[in-house]
Amino acid sequence: MSSDWQRLGGLIGTLFMAQVAFAANNDNANCAALQPALAATAGVTLTETPQLMPAGDLPAFCRVRGQAAGKVGFEMRLPPRADWNGKFVLAGCGGFCGQLLPDKPGYSNSINEALKQGYAAMAHDSGHQAPTSDTDWARSGDDQAVALWAEAVLPTLATLSTEVIQAYYAQAPKRRYFSGCSNGGRLGLVAAQRYPELFDGIAAGGPILDLSGNAGVQGAWMIQQAWTPDGEPRFTPAHIDRLATHVREACDALDGLEDGLIATPERCHPDLSALRCTANTDSGCLSAEQLQQVAALYRGAHDGDTQLFPGLPPGSEHLWPFWITGRDGQPAWGRDASQGFLDIYRNVPAGQHVNPASIDVVAEAAAMAASPLAQRANATNVDLSGLRAAGTRLLIWHGWADPLILPQRTIRYFNDAAAENGGAEALADHARLFMVPGHGHCWEAPGLAPDLFDPLQALDAWVEQAEPPAQIVARDTLDPAAATATALLCPYPLRAIHDGHGPLDDAASYRCGE
């Protein structure tokens, strides 16, 4: 009898392996068949033959790489039919884009974490090839490239992705999502405002929704405070370290907890005079002029009592050397990106640069907002009635410690959108904002508190269950199972309130409240 069962078991195993081999061969054939299937698609050129990539660090997937609209470099990753969850996500891209980064890790303008969950996913370069802070391509007279970067890449790739999915799976996706951060967050808000019918859900993080205000007005203001007219940094890392320590000691406890985190930066107004150089202070002290410039960075661009753009949030100082003030003789990325916008605004030829010190921020603020690029790229329309009509969900998040894309501008947008769309309660059914204490810009540096979460996962749960997220639990590692600390994130204007006795690094010790 035992030998009969053994033979039966062997037969079942053989059949199973045959089915696996057949499925793999079928997936490989389906992948290769995309070459002729897409050959007739207008504006699409495949730059390599689609091929089934074997499982390794990632699940197996069909890789489709090419160009759309004759310009947009893209890579689409398609799980085998048996592993596909029936859904698609289009990633955003950061800065002025220009790079195809399908293997970018994490959750910011990335696709591999979605692929692991069974999504078909697409990464792209938005229609040009250049370093992410460079704007020479936008000053070359190529209007199509500018239009694609500003907004047209969304319908272009949404349409293409549907055609690829239909050809590979013989059915359309049941859900379509967009997920992006920084410029990707801006594209998310462009989608919410202009193309809400393209997606079932949109995740928009750290969005530079007011490009002309953030990169133009505040960008010129920031450069003028942090850099000399000759392009020399006004502050050393030692200055910034001293400042960061002073601000943290002054404002840590304002949220009721002494945990090394400034969770309520809007309440933080530190007295900077203690940092002033005297005969007995060390090299980390700041001169009277430097203190004035630091105060101006915190205040933001202004005209007398009129605020032109919000300033840098207290608690973000540890990130200033990378984004704002420079380090080791290198310009800061934020400085370079703002320079790129100012060059477009002043319409200087490619390869040339305007001196930011020559810009009168107060006099030119309105002109920057009215510039052609701002009219195309700014995503400041607070009318989200189209989002509501389409039934699309919008999840926005922003780091309270983001010195590059200023969080108060996102809050202002959200408040204005609530007023325009029937009030905060009505808007909450379709759009929610989560402010993340200690989080900088799009996870480009570790947060000062647990700040890692999967925005796509939170968004998908909202869409599928028709229940807005009442909270999000953030962790300190990419792998949820390996997290040793967690934090509770709350929908704005609520914040995490400690229960008075639980561990400070455990989300379960908090509730969302005012």
Side-chain angles (χ1 to χ4, degrees):
M1 177 67 78
S2 59
S3 61
D4 291 338
W5 281 109
Q6 288 174 346
R7 285 194 297 272
L8 179 59
L11 177 60
I12 292 173
T14 301
L15 289 173
F16 175 76
M17 294 304 297
Q19 288 177 330
V20 170
F22 175 78
N25 290 335
N26 199 35
D27 287 324
N28 193 48
N30 289 339
C31 189
L34 289 174
Q35 177 92 23
L38 296 175
T41 303
V44 175
T45 302
L46 296 184
T47 53
E48 60 182 58
T49 301
Q51 59 178 313
L52 192 67
M53 308 300 293
D57 293 337
L58 294 173
F61 64 91
C62 172
R63 184 175 69 189
V64 184
R65 180 176 286 212
Q67 281 192 331
K71 289 184 176 296
V72 183
F74 72 88
E75 180 165 318
M76 196 162 181
R77 296 185 170 181
L78 304 157
R81 289 188 179 189
D83 300 327
W84 184 41
N85 65 9
K87 303 171 187 180
F88 165 72
V89 60
L90 173 63
C93 52
F96 290 101
C97 302
Q99 297 178 352
L100 180 60
L101 303 170
D103 286 309
K104 188 176 189 294
Y107 301 120
S108 176
N109 303 316
S110 310
I111 62 173
N112 281 342
E113 293 304 313
L115 178 68
K116 293 173 186 176
Q117 299 172 47
Y119 285 86
M122 178 185 282
H124 63 93
D125 61 18
S126 90
H128 62 275
Q129 293 74 49
T132 58
S133 62
D134 179 73
T135 60
D136 277 0
W137 60 272
R139 292 175 279 143
S140 64
D142 190 342
D143 188 68
Q144 184 192 12
V146 174
L148 284 164
W149 174 83
E151 64 171 334
V153 70
L154 293 168
T156 298
L157 294 184
T159 299
L160 171 60
S161 65
T162 299
E163 293 176 353
V164 175
I165 287 172
Q166 186 70 51
Y168 188 65
Y169 297 111
Q171 65 184 82
K174 64 180 181 181
R175 298 294 187 195
R176 297 175 177 85
Y177 296 119
F178 177 89
S179 182
C181 200
S182 193
N183 177 72
R186 180 193 67 82
L187 280 173
L189 288 176
V190 167
Q193 295 164 21
R194 304 175 200 174
Y195 306 105
E197 71 287 347
L198 289 181
F199 304 102
D200 297 286
I202 299 165
I208 186 165
L209 59 98
D210 187 349
L211 177 72
S212 60
N214 206 130
V217 175
Q218 177 61 15
W221 178 268
M222 172 268 294
I223 294 173
Q224 290 168 6
Q225 310 309 317
W227 299 80
T228 70
D230 295 328
E232 295 297 319
R234 298 185 190 272
F235 304 100
T236 67
H239 290 133
I240 304 305
D241 286 346
R242 181 82 169 268
L243 174 66
T245 299
H246 177 75
V247 173
R248 184 172 59 254
E249 291 174 349
C251 298
D252 178 5
L254 292 178
D255 63 342
L257 297 175
E258 292 190 26
D259 55 359
L261 177 67
I262 299 177
T264 54
E266 72 277 22
R267 302 177 184 176
C268 181
H269 306 286
D271 179 4
L272 301 178
S273 61
L275 300 175
R276 181 171 297 167
C277 292
T278 68
N280 298 319
T281 51
D282 58 32
S283 59
C285 66
L286 283 80
S287 68
E289 182 181 11
Q290 286 175 317
L291 288 175
Q292 289 179 346
Q293 289 153 348
V294 168
L297 286 170
Y298 284 131
R299 183 177 179 186
H302 59 274
D303 177 12
D305 293 331
T306 302
Q307 189 79 40
L308 300 177
F309 205 83
L312 277 58
S316 66
E317 296 81 9
H318 64 294
L319 298 173
W320 289 15
F322 180 75
W323 296 116
I324 306 299
T325 57
R327 61 185 174 190
D328 301 327
Q330 296 298 316
W333 190 93
R335 178 184 185 275
D336 286 350
S338 292
Q339 178 74 63
F341 174 84
L342 297 171
D343 291 341
I344 301 174
Y345 160 65
R346 281 286 184 87
N347 197 30
V348 299
Q352 298 184 26
H353 303 289
V354 63
N355 188 339
S358 69
I359 292 179
D360 185 331
V361 174
V362 173
E364 298 190 51
M368 289 186 201
S371 65
L373 184 64
Q375 294 299 304
R376 280 180 162 177
N378 283 2
T380 54
N381 184 0
V382 295
D383 181 2
L384 296 176
S385 57
L387 186 83
R388 184 170 58 251
T392 302
R393 311 303 186 191
L394 172 62
L395 176 66
I396 309 171
W397 77 95
H398 208 130
W400 261 128
D402 188 344
L404 181 67
I405 311 301
L406 286 305
Q408 289 286 9
R409 182 64 181 94
T410 296
I411 290 174
R412 193 181 100 196
Y413 171 81
F414 193 77
N415 287 335
D416 291 347
E420 177 69 20
N421 294 273
E425 187 175 345
L427 181 63
D429 288 335
H430 304 279
R432 293 211 165 187
L433 167 64
F434 285 78
M435 299 302 298
V436 187
H439 177 50
H441 186 65
C442 299
W443 300 293
E444 294 294 337
L448 294 178
D451 66 342
L452 278 166
F453 65 96
D454 187 343
L456 181 60
Q457 193 173 67
L459 181 66
D460 181 54
W462 184 1
V463 170
E464 293 291 3
Q465 300 167 18
E467 185 69 30
Q471 63 184 44
I472 293 174
V473 174
R475 55 189 185 274
D476 60 359
T477 68
L478 195 62
D479 179 6
T484 59
T486 55
L488 186 68
L489 308 181
C490 302
Y492 177 84
L494 303 181
R495 66 184 184 89
I497 307 295
H498 190 251
D499 62 12
H501 56 80
L504 297 183
D505 61 353
D506 186 350
S509 303
Y510 299 80
R511 63 175 176 83
C512 290
E514 296 183 355

